[in-house]
Amino acid sequence: METVFKALAHPTRRDLLDSLFEQDGQTLRSLTTGHDMTRIGVAKHLQLLEEARLVVTRRRGREKLHFLNPVPIRLIHDRWVSKYTEPWAAGLVSLKEELEEMMEKVFEIYIRTTPELLWEAITNPTIRAKYHFGAGADSSWSPGSKWALVHPGAEGALAEGENLVVDPPLRLVQTMDVMWSEDAEREGTSRVTWEIEQVGDSCRLTVIHDELRDDAPAELYGGWPMVLSGLKTWLETGGTLTTPGSLMYDAS
């Protein structure tokens, strides 16, 4: 948490995060525009934001794109803020962007666990329900198989799709059609990729939600930081989040 607070302490770094909040997936050149600073200076600030995991980078061809990662902010929110200002703080993870014709969101978190236990927590419906708003993911988890996000309080599946890549315990790629609201259902099919990498005694989990329309509603992707925060809490402590948002759809 100390690195996050240090990264947020400088106004230039807060401005860079604001810029990514408005338009995610920017290059260094794009982020330098509007700042009275050299590209090297901006790059140094971005490096500190990357070290705090507030910014995640991905290569697309020759370009290096920078994405806002709201998960560390979500963790601060869940630890200190939620009981006082849950409705306001939820706005930190309600993101909006325009990136060519489609939109891509990248979320990253470190969890002290093994790849095998992390994979089980993602694919076991009983465990999944502990941190995913009471909903579990049912599937045979084989390539080409169907999957569905099911909540005991719902008449049908909240979301469903096809497992495109199933490579336990490292990578899972799925299509996703959301049915929990009329607005979400109209958006059609998007894609979710789970990437697991062991780093020392922990795992780096990256969730990429892409193939979203550039004006897709935030309800499709804005819940990921809370889901991943709950996943980390469950695996590291055996407990569940008790923030108002996390308990909103609790089935227990």
Side-chain angles (χ1 to χ4, degrees):
M1 293 296 182
E2 182 179 352
T3 57
V4 175
F5 288 124
K6 180 179 179 181
L8 292 173
H10 198 285
T12 297
R13 292 194 284 273
R14 294 197 298 270
D15 287 344
L16 289 170
L17 293 177
D18 286 340
S19 180
L20 291 175
F21 181 90
E22 294 297 329
Q23 181 177 332
D24 225 352
Q26 294 190 55
T27 63
L28 173 59
R29 176 177 295 180
S30 175
L31 288 167
T32 303
T33 303
H35 288 90
D36 187 17
M37 187 179 298
T38 65
R39 292 179 66 181
I40 294 176
V42 173
K44 289 181 179 179
H45 283 296
L46 286 172
Q47 182 178 353
L48 288 172
L49 290 171
E50 287 185 55
E51 291 173 357
R53 314 316 305 171
L54 290 165
V55 168
V56 179
T57 60
R58 290 179 62 79
R59 287 281 181 182
R60 182 175 294 162
R62 294 183 178 181
E63 293 185 323
K64 181 180 180 181
L65 303 181
H66 299 78
F67 292 87
L68 172 67
N69 179 32
V71 174
I73 297 175
R74 183 79 231 184
L75 293 173
I76 292 172
H77 162 263
D78 290 335
R79 173 62 178 85
W80 288 297
V81 180
S82 61
K83 64 181 179 180
Y84 301 110
T85 56
E86 169 75 20
W88 171 82
L92 292 173
V93 296
S94 181
L95 306 178
K96 183 178 180 180
E97 68 164 4
E98 293 183 2
L99 179 61
E100 300 176 346
E101 294 182 357
M102 302 298 287
M103 182 164 58
E104 178 181 16
K105 290 295 180 183
V106 181
F107 307 93
E108 183 179 272
I109 193 169
Y110 283 81
I111 304 174
R112 182 163 293 181
T113 188
T114 65
E116 291 77 15
L117 288 175
L118 180 49
W119 180 271
E120 182 185 13
I122 295 168
T123 57
N124 182 301
T126 301
I127 298 177
R128 182 78 169 261
K130 300 288 186 181
Y131 62 86
H132 202 142
F133 309 118
D138 287 329
S139 177
S140 64
W141 304 114
S142 58
S145 63
K146 302 297 182 181
W147 72 276
L149 190 66
V150 180
H151 191 284
E155 294 183 0
L158 299 177
E160 62 184 15
E162 179 184 351
N163 295 309
L164 303 176
V165 178
V166 183
D167 182 20
L170 301 177
R171 193 164 185 259
L172 175 64
V173 183
Q174 307 170 290
T175 64
M176 186 169 78
D177 291 277
V178 175
M179 284 89 72
W180 59 61
S181 75
E182 291 183 1
D183 287 344
E185 191 169 356
R186 281 194 291 268
E187 292 302 313
T189 304
S190 58
R191 182 176 62 183
V192 176
T193 300
W194 306 73
E195 296 180 348
I196 300 171
E197 179 185 357
Q198 187 161 10
V199 181
D201 63 352
S202 300
C203 288
R204 176 168 61 198
L205 172 62
T206 305
V207 174
I208 305 156
H209 195 169
D210 61 3
E211 298 188 357
L212 293 156
R213 292 193 312 113
D214 61 357
D215 59 350
E219 65 176 291
L220 289 181
Y221 54 84
W224 282 116
M226 191 181 299
V227 170
L228 298 182
S229 181
L231 173 57
K232 177 181 176 69
T233 299
W234 171 257
L235 283 171
E236 292 186 348
T237 72
T240 57
L241 289 179
T242 57
T243 61
S246 65
L247 297 176
M248 189 179 300
Y249 305 103
D250 190 358
S252 61

